[in-house]
Amino acid sequence: MSLDWIYYAISWILLRWHALWDAIGIPEYRVLGTNWSWVLAIVFLVVTVRVILFPVFVKQIKSQRAMQALQPKVKELQDKHKGDRETLQKEMMELYRTEKANPLMGCLPMFLQIPVFLGLFHVLRRLNPDLPEKYKTLYGWSVEQFNSAANSALFSAPLPSKFGSSAEELAALDANSVTVKIVAGILVLVMMTTTYLTSRQMILKTGWAEDPQQKMIQRLMLYGIPLSLLVSGGLFPIGVIIYWVTNNLFTLAQQQWVLRKFPPAPMAGSRGPGPRPAGGSGAAKGGSAKSPVQPARTGGLFGRGKASAEPESPVVDTKALAPKPGAKPTNPKKGARPANKPQG
């Protein structure tokens, strides 16, 4: 299937934003070695895409919450139909249908952004000043717009260049190899960091999944993807990395807003913040506080809580047991004096 429609759509949005910044007076020439009109066009391409996908993002958050709330029921079905995969799948699909939860919704926004990323990658990769003019006018570009974008830069590093650009590619862009590697290298590190923070932010708010497979996916998103960018980031044009970093920053702000507006429900079996009442639930209901002292647990988000080796011993107040000054000493071994018998 041809992806030309994606290239046309990305080019149209990019060129409309560039024309807007040019119309309001953003200079076309470099300031601090940067063509800000093209950099801002890429930044606001992200804003355009994220605004369009915002309703899908809200549905993603709600779906993740629904899946999280269903974990106890999923665990019951897994225990009930252990060894019967076909029945388990039918029961789980019925559960998702009844509770209106969609497991695929959690990945939908990311999947919808992949065509945009690929489209921008293709458009920026072909920005070569030496390209024949008949190819410069593809996807709705004019020759003037193409040449302007091909010669645009961020801190003197051309936007079409990348960390792994060959000597021939750098010569065609009239770029300095050291400058390109420094700018691209810093951007790749920022891209890795912000990618990690977006996953960490969500896990901090919603907690680790109970299901081992979902927990493995969470760990892959948290650690695997940022580490993979250390290698693949060297193949991305600088303009694409600007898009990725801007998208991550937008995601951080968007997730923070959504998590505040739709706070996650407390997990089953977890207790909210604040001190635990003495004696557990029995003491809270007015019963005696004879329940065993719960062992203290340590650990945080990334480690299991570990019970302390020994339970805490009850503290004895020796001052309360001491006799008061002036009180008559008592002999605990001596029995009580019998009552006087009535005289006959």
Side-chain angles (χ1 to χ4, degrees):
M1 182 180 65
S2 175
L3 297 179
D4 284 355
W5 68 274
I6 296 178
Y7 306 146
Y8 274 102
I10 297 301
S11 297
W12 187 87
I13 297 173
L14 201 62
L15 294 174
R16 296 291 79 73
W17 279 113
H18 175 263
L20 175 63
W21 302 127
D22 187 53
I24 64 178
I26 301 295
E28 186 71 26
Y29 55 86
R30 295 184 183 182
V31 178
L32 299 177
T34 304
N35 301 90
W36 293 106
S37 58
W38 284 109
V39 171
L40 289 174
I42 295 174
V43 169
F44 278 83
L45 170 65
V46 176
V47 174
T48 304
V49 173
R50 295 308 298 265
V51 169
I52 294 173
L53 294 181
F54 183 74
V56 181
F57 181 81
V58 174
K59 289 183 179 180
Q60 175 198 22
I61 298 294
K62 292 182 177 180
S63 177
Q64 289 175 341
R65 300 289 167 74
M67 293 296 296
Q68 187 180 14
L70 289 177
Q71 286 305 307
K73 294 183 179 180
V74 171
K75 186 67 169 60
E76 290 179 5
L77 290 176
Q78 290 173 341
D79 295 338
K80 180 179 178 181
H81 302 290
K82 187 179 298 184
D84 189 353
R85 183 177 296 274
E86 184 178 353
T87 303
L88 175 61
Q89 290 295 331
K90 290 181 180 179
E91 292 289 338
M92 290 182 63
M93 293 303 296
E94 179 64 22
L95 176 64
Y96 294 150
R97 188 190 64 81
T98 304
E99 300 294 338
K100 297 181 180 179
N102 187 354
L104 300 179
M105 183 59 69
C107 302
L108 185 59
M110 181 179 66
F111 288 146
L112 292 178
Q113 291 185 73
I114 290 177
V116 179
F117 177 82
L118 295 176
L120 183 63
F121 183 90
H122 176 78
V123 168
L124 293 181
R125 187 182 59 177
R126 59 186 297 274
L127 291 177
N128 185 343
D130 296 334
L131 198 69
E133 288 194 4
K134 65 178 181 178
Y135 296 112
K136 292 181 179 180
T137 56
L138 292 176
Y139 314 132
W141 291 69
S142 67
V143 174
E144 182 182 0
Q145 290 170 331
F146 187 96
N147 290 334
S148 174
N151 290 286
S152 61
L154 175 68
F155 302 123
S156 300
L159 297 184
S161 65
K162 50 186 178 292
F163 188 89
S165 291
S166 64
E168 292 78 10
E169 292 172 334
L170 293 174
L173 295 170
D174 193 20
N176 180 275
S177 176
V178 176
T179 302
V180 169
K181 289 188 183 302
I182 290 175
V183 174
I186 292 174
L187 285 175
V188 168
L189 293 177
V190 175
M191 177 174 62
M192 293 173 59
T193 303
T194 52
T195 301
Y196 167 80
L197 290 177
T198 54
S199 297
R200 181 175 179 270
Q201 181 190 50
M202 185 61 69
I203 294 175
L204 283 174
K205 293 294 184 180
T206 60
W208 289 98
E210 295 292 334
D211 183 67
Q213 292 182 349
Q214 292 191 12
K215 183 179 289 187
M216 182 179 65
I217 294 175
Q218 285 180 320
R219 292 188 182 279
L220 177 64
M221 296 289 291
L222 186 63
Y223 302 113
I225 293 180
L227 288 176
S228 68
L229 294 176
L230 185 61
V231 178
S232 60
L235 305 176
F236 296 160
I238 288 177
V240 172
I241 303 179
I242 293 174
Y243 174 90
W244 193 306
V245 171
T246 306
N247 185 66
N248 286 344
L249 295 176
F250 197 98
T251 300
L252 283 169
Q254 196 175 65
Q255 284 183 170
Q256 184 66 22
W257 182 85
V258 172
L259 290 170
R260 285 179 179 272
K261 190 172 181 63
F262 306 102
M267 294 292 291
S270 63
R271 64 184 182 95
R276 187 191 296 270
S281 59
K285 294 179 181 179
S288 60
K290 293 183 180 180
S291 59
V293 179
Q294 297 292 332
R297 292 185 176 272
T298 59
L301 175 65
F302 299 103
R304 293 179 177 271
K306 296 181 180 179
S308 58
E310 297 179 0
E312 298 178 1
S313 301
V315 179
V316 179
D317 190 353
T318 55
K319 293 183 178 181
L321 299 179
K324 297 181 179 180
K328 187 176 181 179
T330 58
N331 185 358
K333 296 183 180 180
K334 187 176 180 181
R337 179 178 296 177
N340 295 329
K341 295 181 180 182
Q343 295 181 358

